[in-house]
Amino acid sequence: MGTEISEPLILDKESIDDGAGIESELVPEWKDQITIRGLVVSALLGTLFCIITHKLNLTVGIIPSLNVGAGLLGFFFVKSWTGFLTKLGFQVSPFTKQENTVIQTCVVACYGLAFSGGFGSYMIAMDERTYKLIGADYPGNRAEDIKNPGLGWMTGFLFVVSFLGLFSLTPLRKVMVLDYKLTYPSGTATAMLINSFHTHSGAELAGGIGDSCGFDNFPSFGLMLFRNTFYFDFSPTYVGCGLICPHIVNCSVLLGAIISWGFLWPFISAHAGDWYPSGLESNNFKGLYGYKAFVLMEMFFSHNSSKEVFWVVTFSQVFIAIALILGDGLYNLIKIIYISAKEVCKKSTKQSKLPIVNEVIDNESSKVLAEQRKRDDIFLKDRIPTWFAASGYVALAAISTATVPIIFPPLKWYLVLVSYIIAPALAFCNSYGTGLTDWNLSSTYGKIGLFIIASLVGSDGGVMAGLAACGVMMSIVSTAADLMQDFKTGYITLSSAKSMFVSQLLGTAMGCVIAPLTFWMFWTAFEVGSPDGPYKAPYAVIFREMAILGIEGFSELPKHCLALCFGFFIGAVLVNLLRDVTPKEISQFIPIPMAMAVPFYIGAYFAVDMFVGTVILFIWERINQKEAEDYAGAVASGLICGDGIWTIPSAILSILRINPPICMYFGPSLSS
C-alpha cells in the first residue's frame, strides 16, 4: 500500500562509511527533545507562517505546504542563536535533529489552524459583508444567519474543536507508518532535509519554480486538454512526489484524472438542460469574483459561467470524490480492526505466527536492517497509551459538544455529538489519502459536513449550523492528517512519537491564540471580503452559497448524483476486495481507489506531474536499479524541498506586493 524509503539516503555517505550509522547514534529522551528555545522559535515562526497563510487564504485561497520551510528556518534560527552564544563564551546544549523536528512539528500545528480555522472560508462566510455580497433578496440568505468575526469567540471555538483530531488516530500510528508504510511525501522530504542539516556534508537541494506566471500554466497537450486541466505545470513538488511514491499510486492518480476530467465531467456538462438547468443568466450572481479563484472551475467552464453549471459539477466533484475516498478508507479501516482483533485473539491463546528468517545477508543489508530496527524501536518506545487517546477524545468531545452550541445556537448538541462519532473514520480516510498522494482534503470533508448538517437543520438556522459543522469537521480531519505526517517525519529523524504528540499539542495551543490574533490584524486594517479590496476572501461566498443550497437538502443535488456516488462507493470497496483476494503478482497492478479519487476534485494537472516523476523513476530503474534505489528518494526530496523553500520568499514578496515586471501566461483565446 506504500513504499519505504531506502534508509541510507538519510545520512551522508561519509558518516556511513565511517561507521557512524544511526544504529550507534545516541537519541535524547523525549523530554529533552522539547526545549524552551525551541518553543520560542516555534512561536515566532508560527506567527510568521500564520500571516503568510492568512494572506494566501484571503487572496488566492490556495495554501502550499510550508513544512519544509518550517524545518529550514527552525534550523537557521536555533543554529544562529547557539552559534552566537557560543562565541560569547556561553555553554549551550547541542542542537539535535530531534529538536529541529519538534520545532517543525510545532510550527506546522500552529499555522495549520490559520487554514483549518476557516479564516478565509467558512468563518468569513458567516459575516455581514458576505451576506450582503450574495444579496438580501437571495432565497435562503437570511439576516439571522450572520455572525461577524470576534477575537473572543473565534479563539474559544478553536480551543474547543482543534485538539480532538490529535487524539482520534494516535492509536493507529504504527499501522499507518510501519505496517502500511505510507510515504507522506512532504513529511519524508522534510525529514531528509532535517537529517541532512545535522550531518557533515549537508544536502544540495533543487531549485523551485515561481507562482502562476510562466510555464506552470503551459498548455502542454493543447488548449482543449488544457481547459480540462490536462497540462504539465513543471511543479518540482509533484514530480518529486512521483519519484517518491510507488508506481501504482502514480498510475492510479493518472487513471483517476483520465476517468474524471477526461470522461465524467465532460459527459456531465454535455447533459446541461437534462440533468440540470442550462442557459441561465449569471449576471445576477453577486460575488462571481470568488468563483474565478476556484481555478479548476474557471478553466473547465471558461465559456459557460452559469452558476448552476458551476454548482452541479462542484457538488458532483465533491460527492463522487468523497464516495471513492470513503469506500477505500472505510474498507481499510474495517480491515485494520478485523486484523487487530484477530491478532489479539491469537495472543490470548498464545499462538504465534511470527516467521523465523534464516537467510544470508551481506554487510550492507545487515546495516540497513539494523538501522530500520532502531527506527522501529524508537518509534514504538515512548508509547501513547490507547486508553489515554480514547479518554482524551471522549473528554474533549464532551466539552466541545456542550460548548459549540453556545457559540453557534443553530448547531444543536446532538448534531455535534454525531459529528464526533463519525469524525475518526473520516480522519482515517483523510490521513490515509494524504499518506498516498500528499493531498490533505480536509476542506472536502468540511463541505460534506456543511451540506449534510445544513440539510438536516433546514431553513431555520441551517446556513449557520452548516458552516459551523464544516469547521468542526475540518479541524478534526486536518489536524489528524498533519499529526500522522509529522509521525512519519519523526520516524525518519529518530524522534520520539511522544515528543511529536506533545509538540503538536503545544503548537495547536499556540495556533489557537496566534491564528486569530494575526487574522485580526488583517480584519481591522483592511476590508476583508470586499470585492474592491486587496483581500477578497474568494471562498467566503462559495461556502455560504453551498450552505444556502444545502438547506434544500438532497433534492438540490443534480440528477443521478447520488446514484453515481453509490456506484463509485461500491466500486471502491470491490476494487479493494479484489486487491486483497488476488495473488500479489496480479494485485500489484490493480489501481488504488483512494489515489484515483484525489484528481476527481483537485484536477488532472498534478496527476500529469506525478506520472512524469514515475516515468523518470521507471527509466532510471531500468538503467541502474541500485542507483535508483539509493538516490531516487534524495532527488525527490531535493525537488520537494527546493520548491517548498521558495514558497517563503515568494509569499513575502507577495505580501509586500512586489510583483514580477512581466508575466507570461498561456491560455485559450476568447474566440477559441
Side-chain angles (χ1 to χ4, degrees), residues 30 32-35 38-39 42 96-108 194 493 495-496 499-500 502-504 506:
W30 74 268
D32 297 329
Q33 297 173 19
I34 304 172
T35 62
L39 295 179
S42 299
T96 64
K97 61 184 179 183
Q98 289 79 17
E99 184 181 355
N100 202 161
T101 306
V102 164
I103 293 172
Q104 180 267 339
T105 300
C106 204
V107 173
V108 170
I194 291 174
T493 60
S495 302
S496 166
S499 69
M500 294 292 93
V502 173
S503 61
Q504 272 276 351
L506 295 172

Side-chain angles (χ1 to χ4, degrees), residues 320-571:
I320 293 175
I322 285 293
L324 267 175
I325 292 170
L326 289 181
D328 192 339
L330 293 179
Y331 176 89
N332 280 282
L333 181 61
I334 293 171
K335 185 172 76 171
I336 289 171
I337 294 173
Y338 170 75
I339 293 174
S340 300
K342 192 175 179 181
E343 288 300 315
V344 169
C345 293
K346 285 182 180 179
K347 287 181 181 179
S348 64
T349 57
K350 296 185 179 180
Q351 295 179 6
S352 176
K353 278 190 159 185
L354 291 176
I356 300 175
V357 180
N358 291 313
E359 59 175 316
V360 179
I361 55 177
D362 57 25
N363 189 43
E364 183 178 352
S365 298
S366 176
K367 184 185 291 291
V368 171
L369 289 175
E371 291 176 353
Q372 182 174 331
R373 278 197 298 269
K374 180 160 186 175
R375 293 187 191 284
D376 294 349
D377 291 343
I378 291 174
F379 188 69
L380 299 174
K381 174 187 173 185
D382 297 316
R383 295 183 178 275
I384 303 169
T386 301
W387 67 264
F388 175 78
S391 58
Y393 186 86
V394 171
L396 290 172
I399 295 171
S400 184
T401 301
T403 308
V404 170
I406 298 175
I407 303 174
F408 303 105
L411 185 59
K412 304 302 181 184
W413 66 269
Y414 49 85
L415 295 176
V416 180
L417 181 61
V418 170
S419 298
Y420 286 140
I421 292 174
I422 65 175
L426 301 181
F428 171 82
C429 295
N430 189 44
S431 299
Y432 177 63
T434 304
L436 284 174
T437 66
D438 212 33
W439 275 97
N440 186 336
L441 297 179
S442 57
S443 63
T444 305
Y445 292 93
K447 292 184 183 79
I448 294 297
L450 180 156
F451 184 84
I452 293 175
I453 297 299
S455 64
L456 290 175
V457 175
S459 58
D460 187 16
V463 171
M464 186 66 67
L467 292 171
C470 175
V472 171
M473 197 62 68
M474 274 184 67
S475 296
I476 294 176
V477 299
S478 179
T479 53
D482 287 343
L483 177 61
M484 208 56 64
Q485 181 130 249
D486 289 327
F487 275 146
K488 180 70 174 185
T489 304
Y491 171 75
I492 297 176
T493 60
L494 299 179
S495 302
S496 166
K498 188 174 289 186
S499 69
M500 294 292 93
F501 181 75
V502 173
S503 61
Q504 272 276 351
L505 288 174
L506 295 172
T508 301
M510 291 180 187
C512 290
V513 176
I514 294 173
L517 283 174
T518 48
F519 169 77
W520 200 248
M521 291 166 46
F522 286 89
W523 181 258
T524 54
F526 305 96
E527 290 189 3
V528 174
S530 171
D532 300 321
Y535 300 106
K536 297 176 174 61
Y539 279 85
V541 172
I542 295 176
F543 272 74
R544 190 172 183 92
E545 278 280 0
M546 292 187 72
I548 291 171
L549 290 176
I551 62 177
E552 299 297 328
F554 288 97
S555 62
E556 281 295 306
L557 289 176
K559 192 176 180 181
H560 304 305
C561 182
L562 288 180
L564 285 170
C565 292
F566 182 76
F568 275 97
F569 179 87
I570 297 299

Side-chain angles (χ1 to χ4, degrees), residues 45-54 66 69-70 73 107 111 648:
L45 291 178
T47 302
L48 172 63
F49 282 24
C50 277
I51 292 173
I52 292 173
T53 302
H54 286 316
L66 301 174
L73 292 179
V107 173
Y111 88 79
I648 304 301

Side-chain angles (χ1 to χ4, degrees), residues 44-346:
L44 293 175
L45 291 178
T47 302
L48 172 63
F49 282 24
C50 277
I51 292 173
I52 292 173
T53 302
H54 286 316
K55 192 272 174 185
L56 296 174
N57 219 1
L58 297 173
T59 51
V60 298
I62 300 173
I63 313 299
S65 174
L66 301 174
N67 297 35
V68 172
L72 171 66
L73 292 179
F75 174 82
F76 172 76
F77 280 120
V78 176
K79 202 69 176 177
S80 299
W81 178 246
T82 55
F84 176 72
L85 291 180
T86 302
K87 288 182 179 180
L88 293 179
F90 291 96
Q91 187 73 26
V92 294
S93 57
F95 180 43
T96 64
K97 61 184 179 183
Q98 289 79 17
E99 184 181 355
N100 202 161
T101 306
V102 164
I103 293 172
Q104 180 267 339
T105 300
C106 204
V107 173
V108 170
C110 181
Y111 88 79
L113 290 185
F115 168 71
S116 63
F119 297 101
S121 54
Y122 65 84
M123 203 172 279
I124 298 297
M126 303 176 184
D127 78 338
E128 186 176 3
R129 187 172 290 130
T130 305
Y131 160 78
K132 291 180 178 178
L133 281 172
I134 294 176
D137 57 345
Y138 190 87
N141 189 32
R142 305 188 316 152
E144 291 83 357
D145 294 320
I146 292 177
K147 192 176 185 66
N148 287 314
L151 201 54
W153 74 260
M154 290 190 303
T155 303
F157 178 70
L158 290 182
F159 266 109
V160 297
V161 302
S162 299
F163 290 91
L164 283 98
L166 304 180
F167 291 86
S168 61
L169 292 186
T170 300
L172 296 180
R173 63 188 175 89
K174 176 181 177 293
V175 173
M176 306 288 268
V177 176
L178 299 186
D179 297 339
Y180 274 16
K181 294 181 172 63
L182 296 175
T183 52
Y184 290 98
S186 289
T188 298
T190 304
M192 296 178 75
L193 178 72
I194 291 174
N195 277 338
S196 71
F197 286 154
H198 296 270
T199 58
H200 296 297
S201 61
E204 296 180 3
L205 302 178
I209 295 179
D211 214 352
S212 57
C213 258
F215 283 97
D216 56 355
N217 281 288
F218 183 73
S220 318
F221 311 112
L223 295 177
M224 179 62 73
L225 289 176
F226 178 76
R227 283 195 290 268
N228 289 287
T229 74
F230 279 97
Y231 58 91
F232 178 53
D233 70 347
F234 297 87
S235 169
T237 293
Y238 295 116
V239 173
C241 288
L243 281 167
I244 214 170
C245 289
H247 292 304
I248 186 60
V249 171
N250 299 318
C251 293
S252 299
V253 170
L254 183 65
L255 178 61
I258 293 172
I259 292 173
S260 56
W261 293 93
F263 296 100
L264 186 58
W265 305 145
F267 176 77
I268 291 175
S269 65
H271 283 73
D274 179 17
W275 290 12
Y276 57 91
S278 65
L280 300 178
E281 294 295 330
S282 61
N283 54 9
N284 65 340
F285 181 56
K286 299 183 179 180
L288 187 60
Y289 69 90
Y291 300 137
K292 292 180 180 178
F294 207 61
V295 178
L296 302 179
M297 293 298 96
E298 181 189 11
M299 289 188 292
F300 192 66
F301 294 116
S302 56
H303 303 297
N304 187 359
S305 57
S306 155
K307 69 176 177 181
E308 282 73 18
V309 176
F310 172 83
W311 285 118
V312 71
V313 180
T314 298
F315 273 122
S316 299
Q317 282 184 316
V318 171
F319 276 84
I320 293 175
I322 285 293
L324 267 175
I325 292 170
L326 289 181
D328 192 339
L330 293 179
Y331 176 89
N332 280 282
L333 181 61
I334 293 171
K335 185 172 76 171
I336 289 171
I337 294 173
Y338 170 75
I339 293 174
S340 300
K342 192 175 179 181
E343 288 300 315
V344 169
C345 293
K346 285 182 180 179

